[in-house]
Amino acid sequence: MHLEKAENGELVITMPQAEAADVLATLKKRADDLDDCEDLTEALENAGIQLPEQPDHIRHEYMPPADH
């Protein structure tokens, strides 16, 4: 994330599209916990940012503690 400009209470930020997608996903997931995030969510969506694709299968592995 890079802050391009900060004037009159307005920020201009640039970031990679994948990072913006993660921000959008977090804003949507935590909308009830965050105050006034609707404008940022709408701005990201209007910029063409889409939610990241969820994998079909998440692989979980268990690694036991190493014996010392």
Side-chain angles (χ1 to χ4, degrees):
M1 183 181 324
H2 179 72
L3 178 62
E4 294 285 329
K5 180 174 76 169
E7 293 179 349
N8 302 324
E10 188 171 305
L11 300 174
V12 176
I13 298 172
T14 58
M15 67 179 71
Q17 190 166 356
E19 188 176 339
D22 288 340
V23 169
L24 179 59
T26 301
L27 288 172
K28 286 184 171 258
K29 182 178 176 183
R30 309 242 359 243
D32 293 338
D33 300 332
L34 302 172
D35 295 331
D36 300 326
C37 67
E38 295 87 13
D39 291 341
L40 181 54
T41 302
E42 185 177 323
L44 288 168
E45 290 173 336
N46 289 341
I49 302 300
Q50 297 179 359
L51 294 173
E53 292 184 25
Q54 298 297 321
D56 293 336
H57 180 284
I58 298 174
R59 182 175 176 176
H60 298 278
E61 294 183 16
Y62 171 74
M63 183 167 198
D67 293 332
H68 292 277

